Amino acid sequence: MASLGDIGVAAGFNVLTALAFLLAFAFLRLQPINDRVYFPKWYLRGMRDNPVVSGAAVQKFVNLDGRSYLKFLNWMPAALNMPQDELINHAGLDSVVYLRIYITGLKIFVPITVLAFLVLVPVNWTNDTLGHNNVVYSPIDKLSISNVPNGSKRFIAHLSMAYVITFWTCYVLFKEYEIITNMRLRFLASEKRRPDQFTVLVRNIPPDPDESISELVEHFFLVNHPDHYLRHQVVYNANKLADLVEKKKKMQNWLDYYRLKYERNPSERPTTKTGFLGCFGSKVDAIDYYKSEIEKIGKEEAEERKKVIKDPKSVVPAAFVSFRSRWGAAVCAQTQQTSNPTVWLTEWAPEPRDVYWNNLSIPFVSLTVRRLIIAVAFFFLNFFYVIPMTLVQSLANLEGIEKALPFLKPLIELHFIKSFIQGFLPGIALKIFLIVLPTILMFMSKFEGLISQSSLERRSASKYYIFLFFNVFLTSVIAGSALEQLKTYLHTSANDIPRIIGDSIPMKATFFITYVMVDGWTGIAGEILRLKPLIFFHLKNLFLVKTEKDREEAMDPGSICFDSTEPRIQLYYLLGLVYAAVTPFLLPFILVFFGFAYVVFRHQIINVYNQQYESAAQFWPSVHGRIITALIVSQLLLLGLLSTNDFEQSTPVLLVLPVLTFWFYKYCKNRFEPAFVRNPLQEAMMKDTLERAREPNFDLKAYLANSYLHPVFKGDEGDDRYSVVDDDEWMGEEVIVPTKRHSRRTTPAQSKHEGSDSLSVPESALQR
């Protein structure tokens, strides 16, 4: 168990490491050669050019202006100075609301920390219960609730603190939910025209023997939405074609690399091996080899492109349907289309850059089975991860290490090594075990069949939070307490074991303190250093970059990665709320995390991250719900602790809190959440009316043309190579189109649509 000295060693090590990272960042960001690594967002927006230098050639790579180094910390005030409205225009509402998660943490925990240290720390410290309970403890644990005698009236302070924490947290959450809801509505009202505002995704289109998918969609919406339907885009299964395009691009990168290598040394032709990773197989001329590979893949790509274009089986029973107005799209997206609720399912279309095209080809009927498979797989993943989590806890127990590796006992007994193991090693080991987890969870979410990047990240975040709750929090508390108090368990009555567990749980705060310092201090400092993107950029710049476009592609701005960062923040909320009334000594470490992370991520959002989508803060209800979950868990844990400490009279008083908290959650859900899942028709009509008045001749159909065409059918510069035959100009009078189905009546009106599921392309394009 970590002592106060061990925590001090860990704090010193993490603070020094974080400072080293920050100093390295402050130095590296000033060098002209690194400008695209630390300011890529401005380059992508065309608002920053390569640093202009004169004089010695070395100045192109190294900043020789000594005065600039005197202001190496000016990035901090610069990150905080940009006003919120300007930041929304610069980075989007998603990024700004993400930052408010940190602000909310500061609003909740700053007053709670001050109050806990003024009230609970003196109450806990002025006892000597742990010394008489025959349990293993450290001086830090004397600050916890475990040091209060059983049945003591002093527990009234903890009971009162639980009420204060609950009401203050709910108040802050209510105000934040209200603020963010208003921000979302203002953002949607002021947002510029986007294709997804007029478009609905239709899934599970029922098959028809007489009409193709395209004809069926056209007929259905001309009949049922005659005044508002504009056009549609059927969905193609082009996954194999996309894989070939990506493979060809990678081969082209290798060809460019070897050509550049040959240009630098014309006396020797570069060679490569044809086997796995270029390490095995026969040695061949690299340039000729990659030329032939690109030519072969190009032929496969052309054949697959023809297949997708001509084969009706490449069309899946889904379509993006666009309307003449936002109001028409809102009505369609938020209503049931037929008496059968399982067909013609409509939902708001993601914005084009948010679409995850690979999953659109998954049959809708298989989604339920896929989600069941993932639910079972996720359960077993949680179950089997208990083993490494228990191993992490064993690292915090010196007796366990000495028993497993007795030859290390003389080394472990050294004071500094002992402090390092107990104060730093458990936290870093836990972080290492969690590195690959977000990737696994994202793969599981993709298998479920979600059709947008934003929904994939929200689903992965939910899984990650559940995993952290059960495996990091509960397993660490239970397994860690069992390992530390094993000798006590073996020499005590079974009736006293619940009391010993109750005493031990608050003392696990020392383990979480080490994790907060490793992940929340050093980890955040490492985020701003961007060591991996820095190395990869210079490697690409050295071996692949020939043009400005190549240099732009070599930049890796990254994004917030909501699926991995938000659940980690929620773990800190959970730890803070659970231990606020139990072991307040943890709270200052969490406050440092929230403040430091806010500054770092604000800087990254302004200068680095390039978000791939904009959901207008659609994730906030999930954030709110997880904080409420943490609050209820903290209440139930305190209820159990007081019950095991012979203060049962507190049970009815504390039981009120979870009930009130859940009622508060339901109230907020009914009051605010509709603004995050439905678009008000009134707002849609107002925006449509204003746009028609300002731009009466705007060609919406041309604006929406091919917005939802699969990216493999679009040119490199973003221009469309191919146009889809889905509808021609259809204006004016109401028309009911004829149908090929014999069971439907038709009118004499002639359909202006070709009724084809294929792409209309020039014959020359098919030979590509």
Side-chain angles (χ1 to χ4, degrees):
M1 179 178 294
S3 65
L4 189 60
D6 300 333
I7 296 296
V9 170
F13 186 85
N14 282 284
V15 168
L16 289 176
T17 305
L19 286 176
F21 285 169
L22 291 176
L23 289 174
F25 161 72
F27 174 80
L28 292 172
R29 67 186 286 270
L30 296 175
Q31 310 312 313
I33 195 174
N34 298 326
D35 207 54
R36 288 178 177 268
V37 177
Y38 294 108
F39 301 96
K41 189 166 192 170
W42 299 99
Y43 281 95
L44 293 174
R45 301 244 175 141
M47 301 172 69
R48 191 180 182 99
D49 297 320
N50 292 322
V52 179
V53 294
S54 58
V58 70
Q59 288 183 311
K60 296 180 180 179
F61 307 98
V62 180
N63 184 357
L64 300 180
D65 183 6
R67 291 173 297 178
S68 62
Y69 292 97
L70 300 177
K71 302 177 181 179
F72 68 95
L73 291 179
N74 65 353
W75 65 270
M76 290 187 180
L80 298 173
N81 285 341
M82 183 177 284
Q84 180 172 278
D85 291 341
E86 185 179 346
L87 186 58
I88 292 175
N89 292 330
H90 176 69
L93 186 63
D94 279 345
S95 298
V96 173
V97 173
Y98 173 80
L99 290 174
R100 291 201 72 91
I101 304 177
Y102 296 104
I103 296 175
T104 304
L106 291 171
K107 288 181 178 179
I108 291 174
F109 288 112
V110 168
I112 289 176
T113 302
V114 173
L115 191 60
F117 271 77
L118 290 176
V119 177
L120 294 185
V121 168
V123 170
N124 296 337
W125 180 261
T126 54
N127 293 283
D128 195 27
T129 304
L130 291 174
H132 298 93
N133 277 359
N134 192 31
V135 294
V136 181
Y137 71 96
S138 71
I140 296 176
D141 300 322
K142 294 191 69 176
L143 300 174
S144 74
I145 195 174
S146 299
N147 200 37
V148 179
N150 290 349
S152 172
K153 297 296 183 182
R154 294 190 176 205
F155 285 125
I156 295 176
H158 302 83
L159 189 63
S160 303
M161 191 68 183
Y163 270 84
V164 172
I165 292 171
T166 298
F167 285 115
W168 174 247
T169 302
C170 290
Y171 172 76
V172 172
L173 288 177
F174 178 83
K175 299 301 291 184
E176 283 298 308
Y177 217 149
E178 187 176 44
I179 291 170
I180 291 168
T181 300
N182 291 332
M183 289 172 63
R184 172 179 166 85
L185 293 175
R186 286 199 305 270
F187 178 80
L188 293 175
S190 62
E191 193 177 25
K192 295 180 180 178
R193 184 186 292 110
R194 287 194 332 196
D196 55 293
Q197 298 170 350
F198 301 88
T199 306
V200 169
L201 174 61
V202 185
R203 306 184 77 182
N204 211 26
I205 299 171
D208 190 281
D210 299 312
E211 291 187 329
S212 67
I213 295 294
S214 182
E215 293 169 329
L216 195 58
V217 171
E218 171 201 343
H219 181 270
F220 181 87
F221 284 95
L222 282 175
V223 169
N224 296 289
H225 297 268
D227 297 326
H228 303 284
Y229 168 74
L230 181 61
R231 69 187 310 278
H232 70 274
Q233 170 66 67
V234 292
V235 177
Y236 299 89
N237 183 358
N239 292 349
K240 184 178 178 181
L241 178 59
D243 292 339
L244 289 172
V245 171
E246 185 63 25
K247 185 178 179 181
K248 183 179 177 182
K249 183 179 179 181
K250 291 180 180 178
M251 290 293 180
Q252 186 64 49
N253 286 338
W254 280 111
L255 179 60
D256 292 342
Y257 163 70
Y258 283 114
R259 279 175 170 169
L260 191 60
K261 185 178 180 180
Y262 181 61
E263 289 175 6
R264 292 173 178 174
N265 185 17
S267 61
E268 182 180 357
R269 294 278 294 185
T271 60
T272 187
K273 292 185 178 181
T274 58
F276 180 69
L277 295 177
C279 300
F280 305 95
S282 58
K283 185 180 289 188
V284 296
D285 184 283
I287 295 177
D288 293 339
Y289 171 73
Y290 283 106
K291 277 183 178 179
S292 63
E293 287 295 308
I294 290 172
E295 184 178 352
K296 182 169 67 175
I297 295 172
K299 292 178 180 179
E300 294 180 23
E301 178 190 343
E303 292 176 2
E304 181 64 23
R305 192 181 297 274
K306 289 180 181 179
K307 179 181 176 182
V308 172
I309 291 172
K310 299 297 184 182
D311 188 1
K313 293 181 180 179
S314 297
V315 181
V316 299
F320 291 100
V321 180
S322 298
F323 294 82
R324 300 180 183 280
S325 64
R326 295 175 181 83
W327 189 92
V331 169
C332 181
Q334 297 167 181
T335 56
Q336 182 174 312
Q337 301 303 306
T338 69
S339 58
N340 184 352
T342 64
V343 298
W344 293 103
L345 303 178
T346 57
E347 59 183 289
W348 281 106
E351 61 171 323
R353 60 179 179 164
D354 189 22
V355 176
Y356 186 69
W357 294 96
N358 289 352
N359 281 357
L360 281 174
S361 60
I362 297 175
F364 187 83
V365 293
S366 69
L367 295 181
T368 303
V369 177
R370 284 171 168 262
R371 287 168 187 170
L372 177 61
I373 293 172
I374 290 301
V376 174
F378 183 63
F379 170 80
F380 283 104
L381 179 66
N382 273 276
F383 181 78
F384 286 112
Y385 236 92
V386 171
I387 298 173
M389 292 299 105
T390 305
L391 178 62
V392 168
Q393 288 303 314
S394 69
L395 294 175
N397 183 19
L398 285 180
E399 292 182 0
I401 298 176
E402 291 174 356
K403 186 176 180 180
L405 304 169
F407 61 91
L408 292 179
K409 184 174 181 179
L411 180 64
I412 292 174
E413 291 299 328
L414 294 175
H415 179 70
F416 177 78
I417 300 298
K418 178 181 177 182
S419 297
F420 177 82
I421 291 175
Q422 292 192 316
F424 181 76
L425 192 57
I428 194 67
L430 177 58
K431 188 167 178 62
I432 290 172
F433 276 120
L434 295 177
I435 284 178
V436 298
L437 190 63
T439 303
I440 296 173
L441 297 179
M442 178 57 75
F443 171 79
M444 296 172 74
S445 297
K446 289 178 178 178
F447 183 82
E448 287 185 272
L450 300 172
I451 52 93
S452 67
Q453 294 285 352
S454 55
S455 60
L456 284 170
E457 291 198 357
R458 290 196 298 272
R459 183 65 62 86
S460 296
S462 298
K463 291 185 177 71
Y464 197 12
Y465 177 73
I466 294 171
F467 183 92
L468 291 176
F469 177 77
F470 283 103
N471 275 281
V472 175
F473 179 69
L474 289 184
T475 302
S476 296
V477 167
I478 296 172
S481 299
L483 288 171
E484 288 172 357
Q485 308 298 336
L486 184 59
K487 185 179 295 185
T488 306
Y489 292 162
L490 296 176
H491 296 86
T492 191
S493 169
N495 294 330
D496 292 331
I497 290 180
R499 177 185 59 78
I500 297 173
I501 294 177
D503 290 337
S504 302
I505 288 176
M507 294 188 288
K508 287 308 297 175
T510 54
F511 166 75
F512 290 119
I513 287 172
T514 65
Y515 177 72
V516 170
M517 289 188 293
V518 170
D519 181 70
W521 296 8
T522 306
I524 296 299
E527 176 69 28
I528 200 170
L529 181 58
R530 307 197 76 229
L531 190 59
K532 180 182 173 182
L534 176 69
I535 295 172
F536 274 80
F537 173 76
H538 287 303
L539 287 176
K540 292 178 180 178
N541 203 36
L542 181 63
F543 296 113
L544 295 176
V545 170
K546 294 189 297 183
T547 65
E548 280 299 313
K549 184 180 179 182
D550 294 337
R551 188 170 287 107
E552 183 175 303
E553 291 180 351
M555 293 189 300
D556 180 20
S559 60
I560 289 174
C561 295
F562 181 83
D563 58 307
S564 59
T565 57
E566 191 271 343
R568 287 165 51 198
I569 304 172
Q570 292 296 340
L571 178 62
Y572 293 114
Y573 273 102
L574 176 64
L575 296 176
L577 291 171
V578 165
Y579 282 99
V582 174
T583 309
F585 189 72
L586 178 66
L587 293 177
F589 296 88
I590 292 178
L591 281 182
V592 171
F593 161 75
F594 277 117
F596 184 38
Y598 173 73
V599 176
V600 167
F601 278 99
R602 206 173 202 273
H603 172 274
Q604 300 296 84
I605 284 170
I606 292 173
N607 298 299
V608 181
Y609 296 150
N610 184 39
Q611 280 298 98
Q612 299 302 311
Y613 62 84
E614 176 60 59
S615 69
Q618 204 167 10
F619 56 81
W620 186 258
S622 300
V623 174
H624 175 86
R626 285 193 269 272
I627 299 175
I628 290 293
T629 300
L631 184 59
I632 293 176
V633 169
S634 71
Q635 296 160 353
L636 296 177
L637 178 60
L638 183 61
L639 175 64
L641 286 173
L642 295 181
S643 298
T644 60
N645 284 276
D646 301 331
F647 200 65
E648 292 84 356
Q649 56 266 39
S650 67
T651 299
V653 181
L654 274 176
L655 276 176
V656 175
L657 288 181
V659 176
L660 289 177
T661 305
F662 184 74
W663 174 85
F664 168 76
Y665 167 73
K666 295 296 292 183
Y667 172 78
C668 289
K669 184 179 179 68
N670 295 329
R671 170 66 179 84
F672 299 116
E673 192 169 320
F676 292 82
V677 295
R678 293 192 293 269
N679 286 5
L681 293 179
Q682 182 184 32
E683 298 293 329
M685 179 61 76
M686 289 173 58
K687 201 166 180 62
D688 289 334
T689 304
L690 284 173
E691 282 196 354
R692 280 196 293 267
R694 292 170 179 171
E695 302 175 82
N697 299 320
F698 181 78
D699 189 353
L700 182 62
K701 188 169 186 179
Y703 171 76
L704 295 174
N706 295 339
S707 294
Y708 286 95
L709 183 63
H710 198 291
V712 296
F713 297 116
K714 295 183 178 180
D716 293 336
E717 303 300 325
D719 298 328
D720 300 322
R721 284 190 207 154
Y722 314 110
S723 60
V724 177
V725 178
D726 53 9
D727 62 309
D728 291 323
E729 195 70 33
W730 187 82
M731 303 287 289
E733 301 178 1
E734 177 179 346
V735 178
I736 299 180
V737 297
T739 174
K740 296 179 181 178
R741 288 170 288 173
H742 301 293
S743 59
R744 298 288 181 91
R745 293 188 303 171
T746 63
T747 68
Q750 184 67 30
S751 173
K752 297 183 179 181
H753 303 266
E754 296 296 328
S756 172
D757 287 328
S758 63
L759 292 169
S760 176
V761 298
E763 190 65 30
S764 59
L766 298 179
Q767 306 302 322
R768 294 180 63 90

